[in-house]
Amino acid sequence: MSRIGKMPITVPAGVEVIIDGNTVTAKGPKGELTRTFSDILTIEQQEQTITVTRPDDSRLAKSQHGLTRTLIANMVEGVDKGYSKKLQLVGVGYRAALKGSDLEMQLGYSHPILVKAVEGITFEVPTQTEIVISGPSKEQVGQVAADVRAWRKPEPYKGKGIRYEGEQIRRKLGKAAKGD
């Protein structure tokens, strides 16, 4: 049996979860998230806990059990506390700024890069070389962060580019250091 799938999800105060068949809606201080899950599993709520159960030990039911429980737990945590990812810009002249709610970056191209704010996602720029992407959906925050990072992935020779906070870049020596 799935160890993750068996664990109950506790709903914190201030978060409302509505289960309608296989559609789960979570409302909280950070926003509202709705997701439809597989109808193989049973999602039940007793007071402040949510449990996900599977009817049998079929391969499909096993594979969906832990995933469904984790997605619901992420929804509940997202509308309660929210998620955020921090990016760092490393390179001469690389900088970011807010333009309204959109993100404008100078990344060594001949033109500035403008990233439109997606609904539910907010950008913050504490310094010119740091970007904080936050929102209630863990999946959406991660995708927007990956899209921003894709504009200039860190390169291995000088380490320039956009990297996640704490990300280690494996550096290469280059031609000059390789000598005989």
Side-chain angles (χ1 to χ4, degrees):
M1 180 125 194
S2 171
R3 292 186 184 140
I4 294 173
K6 285 194 297 187
M7 296 182 347
I9 303 163
T10 57
V11 180
V15 175
E16 180 186 352
V17 178
I18 301 164
I19 300 171
D20 181 30
N22 59 346
T23 302
V24 178
T25 303
K27 295 178 188 173
K30 297 285 185 182
E32 178 180 339
L33 296 173
T34 302
R35 191 173 196 128
T36 303
F37 296 98
S38 173
D39 54 355
I40 295 171
L41 303 170
T42 307
I43 303 166
E44 297 169 337
Q45 182 175 10
Q46 293 98 16
E47 296 169 20
Q48 292 300 96
T49 60
I50 300 171
T51 55
V52 179
T53 55
R54 63 178 190 232
D56 54 12
D57 286 344
S58 69
R59 187 178 182 101
L60 182 62
K62 281 182 174 182
S63 67
Q64 295 288 317
H65 194 197
L67 172 70
T68 302
R69 187 255 174 225
T70 302
L71 290 174
I72 294 171
N74 287 345
M75 287 171 59
V76 170
E77 186 179 341
V79 297
D80 185 32
K81 298 175 188 165
Y83 289 100
S84 66
K85 285 237 182 214
K86 293 181 182 177
L87 300 172
Q88 297 172 332
L89 279 67
V90 178
V92 177
Y94 287 15
R95 61 186 181 271
L98 284 178
K99 196 171 197 179
S101 62
D102 299 335
L103 180 67
E104 184 180 58
M105 299 180 292
Q106 299 287 337
L107 299 174
Y109 295 113
S110 61
H111 55 84
I113 306 299
L114 188 69
V115 179
K116 299 275 185 198
V118 181
E119 185 181 340
I121 298 294
T122 57
F123 294 113
E124 295 174 42
V125 183
T127 65
Q128 285 187 340
T129 59
E130 289 181 354
I131 302 168
V132 179
I133 301 168
S134 56
S137 172
K138 187 175 189 177
E139 182 179 353
Q140 199 174 27
V141 167
Q143 184 60 53
V144 171
D147 292 344
V148 169
R149 183 179 182 269
W151 280 103
R152 273 286 194 215
K153 288 185 179 173
E155 54 98 13
Y157 296 102
K158 293 183 180 178
K160 292 168 53 173
I162 302 172
R163 62 176 76 168
Y164 296 113
E165 184 183 49
E167 180 181 12
Q168 297 293 320
I169 305 301
R170 290 191 61 188
R171 301 291 299 272
K172 292 183 179 178
L173 295 174
K175 284 195 274 186
K178 284 194 177 176
D180 293 285

